[in-house]
Amino acid sequence: MNTNDFRGALESELSRSFGVTAENAAVWQLHDSISRVVMENISEQWKQSTEQHMSGRRAMYLSMEFLMGRAVYNNLLCLGLTEVVDEALKVHGRSLAELEDIEDAALGNGGLGRLAACFLDSAAAHDIPLDGYGIRYKYGLFKQSIVDGFQHEEADNWTKYGDPWSVRREEDAVEITYGDQKVLAVPYDMPIIGYGTKNIGNLRLWQAESAEDFDFAAFDSGDYDGAVKSQNDAENISKVLYPNDNTDKGKVLRLKQEYFFSAASVTDALRKHKARFGTLDNLADYVTIQLNDTHPVIAIPELIRQLIAEGYTFDGAFGIAHKVFNYTNHTIMAEALEKWDSKVVEKVLPEVYAVILQINEKFYADMYARRMDKAQIREMAPIGDGKVKMAFMAIFVSSYVNGVAAIHTEILKNDALKEWYEIYPERFQNKTNGITQRRWLALCNPELSSLITKLLGNADWVKDLDELKKLEKYADDENVLKEFMAIKEAKKHQLAEFVKVHDDKDIDPDWIFDIQIKRLHEYKRQFLNALSILYIYFGIKDGSIKDFTPTVFIFGAKSAPGYRRAKAIIKLINEIGDFVNADPETADKLKVVFVQNYNVSYAEKLVCAADVSEQISTAGTEASGTGNMKLMLNGAVTLGTYDGANVEIVEEAGEENNYIFGARVEELAEIMPEYDPREILFKDEKIKRVLDKLIDGTFSDGGVPSDQEGSFRELYKALTDGASWHVPDHYYVLGDINSYVETKLRLNADYKDSLAFARKCWLNICNAGKFSSDRTIKDYAENIWKI
């Protein structure tokens, strides 16, 4: 479409739907109408792509989360319509920038959901028949505000003004049966537009609705709550992403969610395949299913259950399931490998549990045939200790199991899943995660994108990120580096303006922007960062740290609502911020800012402005990370541990161009059995001085009882005595703090040589090609999905 065509279509749509003109339309009306025009324009192309996917071999990507973010800008970019639409709006005195006010589709919590979104983008761009399947949450994650330093959660009603990028497909609704209720799964399809191609992928999100009509008799008798009970119980299933599962009801709801979208997706696949081919015998020739973590693993016994209902024997159904399913592992931590109470599974999903029992018996038979030690068989069985072990069931049934970074996969093979690897070495692969450069550079950083395109002479990098390697020849070109530095300065100014409007906080664009943005979890060690800031603060105060380059430490994170210790860390960061920011003696050196409601759209601004990318998880705990890749791609150096994809980042860009600190995996294996963090406190007065602030009344935790999780004293005890299942300082915060601070200060000093520091940043950009999700998805397609 050209500008005039689009303008005419937009004016017609605004008039027809809302009775307004482009000049006086509300922002949401403008967004809705732009979306409708685009959706109408791509409808035939989308239909043809869907037919192509269904007629050949295709992959289904099942994920509890799809953190899509705001669709409009990315869709216009992929269609090459950004300038067309912006020019059409300018005629009416409007701008695409106004659409910043449109809500993100916050249907994810962090890297897992954002990875899924990037994979769909890459598959669409490279004509790979991959379609996503998940849940259409009414409220997404939550909107976060910071009130008196505490995280405050509010419902995130992202469809308040409608959802113009989705199409309801009533004809494909599926009835889902639980032990105590039946619900309808109604699909909404969202187009995933491929950049520079006619291929359009599909994201199918299932919405839970009541299978029973409104109970008029109950209403007529005055039982108003009872009249809508069935409706409310059904809708609760797709109401909220990750309902708090600290209660039994919460656990049941979480299990129902997982089965809901998994069963609906399996049913959808079988229906359509049988309608097209008349048989399910060749299902595995045409359909492969990737399980993104353990949440959708319940799809395995569900597929077997449905195949048995179609007349297959258990062994025949198991054989098909083995060929169809593949499992992506996202963690090495035993506590994060999902397990369900067997009694809960049996009560909620009685027919599925019967199949899980058969899977378990087959596992025993297969392992006995291998003459495996009986104690080891019991340890590895899909059912044991009264639990259904989802990861173990996935590994036993699936064709392939993959980790998401080189070090992560090696840990799985040599430690976390060693026994499984010894039995099935051919099943294990590595697929280092990636990000889409369409959203995370072309869209969010047009200034840097223009420079890259100018230097390369074309924009081929938007579909082939390896092209960035050619930019290495400019690493010593002072003019190019200065142009890059000017872009970074402009992005810092833009971020500063946004933070002022969004959070009412002032940050100085001339300072170092040291940024840690990710889900709030203990292993990601925002706690370590916070303590290091206090360490530096006291060092500046007592003169032991001199000539410190002014730095603003920016945090963005959400904690799960029920994760009290993580929420206490948010409060602590804000307490430290208030304490440090108010001191006139350090006001020209240090500032701490915790931004509210960190999401995809906020991330798009933060990654472009960062000088320093904080990736400081305890070595061996972060499976991969993708935030590290986004920051690297936009020219930040990594300050991090030898963990996850950091390992590969420094392999690609050079350790000399990044800042690695801390104990490594193999060192921790030797250290932790004898580790006593109190010895550090006895020997190191500077660390003790920092940690004492948690218990001496300097900071307020809001009066949480000192023995309860979520108090600052309990944070202190978690480091010194251990807490819940933790051994003392389980994540080696105190053990790594000196190495961390020393490395932080070395980076701080290096920044003074602006050209040399810019060179490090530039070389990170040049070597980011490996971390495109295009590379990752092609690897899946070739080596797992056989597409």
Side-chain angles (χ1 to χ4, degrees):
M1 300 179 78
N2 60 36
T3 300
N4 287 333
D5 289 342
F6 191 91
R7 182 183 166 199
L10 178 62
E11 290 171 344
S12 296
E13 183 61 44
L14 283 165
S15 177
R16 179 170 58 252
S17 296
F18 304 110
V20 297
T21 65
E23 284 82 2
N24 61 23
V27 171
W28 71 268
Q29 293 172 329
L30 203 61
H31 170 255
D32 191 285
S33 297
I34 290 171
S35 307
R36 288 171 188 263
V37 172
V38 172
M39 289 286 276
E40 177 65 27
N41 193 49
I42 66 169
S43 60
E44 189 58 34
Q45 195 173 313
W46 188 11
K47 183 179 178 181
Q48 291 173 5
S49 295
T50 300
E51 172 59 26
Q52 289 174 348
H53 286 207
M54 299 300 296
S55 62
R57 182 167 172 79
R58 69 185 182 110
M60 298 171 61
Y61 197 83
L62 270 59
S63 180
M64 194 81 168
E65 306 178 32
F66 285 92
L67 189 49
M68 303 306 293
R70 201 165 31 220
V72 59
Y73 294 134
N74 197 67
N75 286 345
L76 294 179
L77 173 79
C78 289
L79 290 167
L81 289 175
T82 303
E83 291 184 10
V84 167
V85 177
D86 210 24
E87 288 300 318
L89 292 176
K90 282 178 182 176
V91 174
H92 300 284
R94 306 302 293 267
S95 167
L96 269 178
E98 294 179 57
L99 303 188
E100 289 277 349
D101 293 336
I102 298 303
E103 298 288 352
D104 278 26
L107 307 185
N109 185 34
L112 184 84
R114 189 52 230 168
L115 178 75
C118 285
F119 279 178
L120 295 184
D121 176 280
S122 289
H126 291 277
D127 302 317
I128 294 169
L130 172 71
D131 299 303
Y133 294 80
I135 298 177
R136 189 174 188 262
Y137 302 102
K138 179 174 177 61
Y139 291 114
L141 188 57
F142 56 83
K143 278 188 177 179
Q144 179 202 57
S145 56
I146 301 299
V147 180
D148 296 327
F150 289 99
Q151 171 176 291
H152 178 69
E153 302 104 14
E154 299 172 18
D156 177 25
N157 189 5
W158 66 282
T159 59
K160 178 170 58 177
Y161 294 119
D163 177 20
W165 295 110
S166 295
V167 177
R168 182 179 171 97
R169 306 290 191 190
E170 189 88 38
E171 68 278 10
D172 286 343
V174 176
E175 187 172 86
I176 305 296
T177 301
Y178 300 102
D180 61 349
Q181 71 178 137
K182 291 183 178 181
V183 303
L184 284 180
V186 181
Y188 284 71
D189 287 351
M190 181 183 295
I192 308 298
I193 300 167
Y195 179 90
T197 177
K198 292 185 177 181
N199 181 48
I200 297 177
N202 195 70
L203 172 57
R204 172 156 283 194
L205 298 176
W206 300 95
Q207 178 171 291
E209 300 180 5
S210 177
E212 301 174 17
D213 290 332
F214 173 76
D215 191 338
F216 186 82
F219 189 88
D220 200 41
S221 67
D223 183 8
Y224 304 133
D225 291 337
V228 294
K229 185 179 185 305
S230 174
Q231 179 180 335
N232 289 339
D233 288 347
E235 291 177 359
N236 282 340
I237 291 171
S238 60
K239 191 80 78 178
V240 176
L241 170 68
Y242 295 144
N244 190 339
D245 62 355
N246 289 342
T247 65
D248 290 340
K249 284 186 176 181
K251 288 181 174 65
V252 168
L253 182 55
R254 180 83 68 94
L255 178 59
K256 283 188 173 184
Q257 285 187 330
E258 294 184 3
Y259 180 70
F260 170 74
F261 87 93
S262 300
S265 302
V266 165
T267 303
D268 191 54
L270 295 184
R271 271 186 192 171
K272 290 180 176 173
H273 185 86
K274 192 172 182 180
R276 184 175 290 270
F277 296 103
T279 179
L280 296 175
D281 291 350
N282 59 349
L283 177 70
D285 295 333
Y286 287 89
V287 174
T288 181
I289 299 176
Q290 192 70 36
L291 304 170
N292 191 30
D293 212 347
T294 51
H295 310 123
V297 168
I298 200 74
I300 290 175
E302 173 64 15
L303 175 64
I304 293 172
R305 185 192 71 81
Q306 292 200 32
L307 289 173
I308 291 172
E310 290 282 343
Y312 291 85
T313 64
F314 171 79
D315 286 338
F318 184 97
I320 293 173
H322 169 63
K323 292 177 182 177
V324 166
F325 285 107
N326 310 289
Y327 161 58
T328 299
N329 175 284
H330 283 276
T331 184
I332 61 139
M333 293 186 285
E335 69 273 14
L337 289 175
E338 194 174 27
K339 304 176 185 70
W340 286 104
D341 186 302
S342 296
K343 291 181 180 178
V344 173
V345 178
E346 184 175 18
K347 182 179 178 181
V348 175
L349 306 169
E351 293 183 19
V352 175
Y353 185 69
V355 174
I356 296 173
L357 288 173
Q358 290 180 277
I359 293 172
N360 194 58
E361 289 305 309
K362 179 170 176 55
F363 170 80
Y364 269 89
D366 286 3
M367 296 306 112
Y368 270 75
R370 291 173 178 266
R371 301 184 183 280
M372 190 190 294
D373 177 74
K374 291 181 181 179
Q376 186 174 336
I377 294 175
R378 287 194 296 273
E379 183 70 25
M380 297 174 64
I383 300 178
D385 303 320
K387 305 285 186 184
V388 178
K389 302 173 184 177
M390 307 304 280
F392 290 179
M393 181 162 60
I395 298 167
F396 176 55
V397 181
S398 296
S399 287
Y400 296 104
V401 178
N402 71 277
V404 291
I407 187 174
H408 170 232
T409 301
E410 289 307 305
I411 291 171
L412 292 180
K413 287 157 57 174
N414 299 323
D415 185 8
L417 300 175
K418 180 181 178 182
E419 294 80 8
W420 287 101
Y421 178 65
E422 288 172 350
I423 297 171
Y424 302 120
E426 73 285 353
R427 294 187 184 182
F428 282 73
Q429 295 188 12
N430 178 60
K431 299 286 173 277
T432 296
N433 284 344
I435 58 171
T436 166
Q437 65 268 28
R438 266 79 61 187
R439 182 178 286 272
W440 295 109
L441 182 53
L443 176 63
C444 70
N445 201 338
E447 298 91 340
L448 181 57
S449 298
S450 294
L451 175 60
I452 290 169
T453 298
K454 181 181 76 173
L455 294 174
L456 291 175
N458 57 64
D460 292 351
W461 61 270
V462 182
K463 285 191 77 165
D464 181 5
L465 201 59
D466 287 335
E467 287 287 301
L468 297 188
K469 188 72 173 175
K470 296 175 182 177
L471 297 172
E472 277 193 325
K473 64 185 178 183
Y474 298 107
D476 296 304
D477 187 319
E478 189 170 324
N479 291 328
V480 169
L481 291 180
K482 285 182 176 178
E483 195 169 351
F484 165 65
M485 290 161 64
I487 290 168
K488 180 69 74 173
E489 183 181 357
K491 302 310 287 186
K492 291 168 78 169
H493 275 276
Q494 290 171 18
L495 177 62
E497 291 169 7
F498 187 80
V499 170
K500 178 63 177 174
V501 171
H502 188 269
D503 296 277
D504 195 27
K505 294 187 177 178
D506 295 302
I507 57 177
D508 190 335
D510 293 331
W511 287 22
I512 295 175
F513 280 16
D514 183 306
I515 295 182
Q516 186 175 18
I517 43 173
K518 52 184 74 251
R519 181 166 57 94
L520 203 304
H521 197 289
E522 288 169 90
Y523 80 84
K524 295 176 185 288
R525 297 202 298 189
Q526 287 94 341
F527 192 17
L528 171 62
N529 194 351
L531 295 179
S532 80
I533 294 167
L534 271 183
Y535 190 114
I536 291 168
Y537 165 80
F538 286 124
I540 294 172
K541 292 274 285 185
D542 68 18
S544 60
I545 295 175
K546 297 180 174 63
D547 199 23
F548 185 80
T549 308
T551 302
V552 55
F553 296 96
I554 301 174
F555 294 84
K558 291 180 179 178
S559 161
Y563 191 174
R564 290 189 291 272
R565 198 173 296 146
K567 295 176 86 167
I569 292 169
I570 291 176
K571 172 62 170 171
L572 178 64
I573 292 168
N574 283 297
E575 285 289 306
I576 291 172
D578 290 344
F579 178 71
V580 168
N581 299 347
D583 190 333
E585 290 184 29
T586 59
D588 61 341
K589 295 286 191 298
L590 281 179
K591 186 147 192 175
V592 180
V593 172
F594 193 105
V595 300
Q596 302 177 95
N597 203 39
Y598 172 64
N599 58 14
V600 174
S601 293
Y602 216 141
E604 288 171 5
K605 296 172 176 61
L606 289 158
V607 298
C608 302
D611 297 302
V612 182
S613 164
E614 293 266 3
Q615 308 295 332
I616 60 175
S617 52
T618 314
T621 60
E622 183 73 82
S624 171
T626 53
N628 47 5
M629 302 169 188
K630 295 159 195 165
L631 288 150
M632 174 197 195
L633 181 59
N634 283 275
V637 297
T638 296
L639 169 60
T641 49
Y642 211 66
D643 192 33
N646 293 353
V647 176
E648 290 159 89
I649 284 174
V650 298
E651 284 176 357
E652 295 294 309
E655 194 160 337
E656 69 279 8
N657 296 312
N658 292 285
Y659 295 85
I660 300 300
F661 74 92
R664 300 193 178 192
V665 172
E666 60 276 13
E667 294 170 333
L668 286 171
E670 296 180 6
I671 292 169
M672 290 307 289
E674 303 296 327
Y675 176 54
D676 181 358
R678 285 191 182 275
E679 290 184 3
I680 295 175
L681 293 182
F682 296 151
K683 294 176 182 177
D684 195 317
E685 282 297 321
K686 291 183 178 180
I687 295 178
K688 186 177 186 301
R689 175 172 63 181
V690 168
L691 216 59
D692 281 349
K693 293 300 168 187
L694 296 178
I695 57 174
D696 68 4
T698 300
F699 303 129
S700 170
D701 57 16
V704 180
S706 62
D707 60 340
Q708 285 189 17
E709 188 174 290
S711 75
F712 291 170
R713 184 171 291 274
E714 195 270 344
L715 284 179
Y716 181 95
K717 286 182 178 179
L719 294 179
T720 56
D721 298 333
S724 61
W725 57 269
H726 285 184
V727 298
D729 195 12
H730 179 73
Y731 293 112
Y732 206 58
V733 170
L734 300 184
D736 268 349
I737 193 168
N738 276 326
S739 173
Y740 179 45
V741 171
E742 288 166 9
T743 307
K744 218 166 193 172
L745 293 176
R746 176 163 58 87
L747 184 158
N748 186 272
D750 287 352
Y751 188 83
K752 295 181 191 302
D753 186 341
S754 57
L755 273 176
F757 194 85
R759 184 180 188 276
K760 293 175 186 283
C761 296
W762 185 257
L763 285 169
N764 272 278
I765 295 170
C766 298
N767 290 284
K770 176 179 180 177
F771 304 106
S772 171
S773 51
D774 296 355
R775 183 265 315 152
T776 316
I777 213 68
K778 289 176 182 177
D779 195 350
Y780 274 100
E782 180 179 353
N783 296 307
I784 290 184
W785 304 332
K786 314 299 182 186
I787 294 176

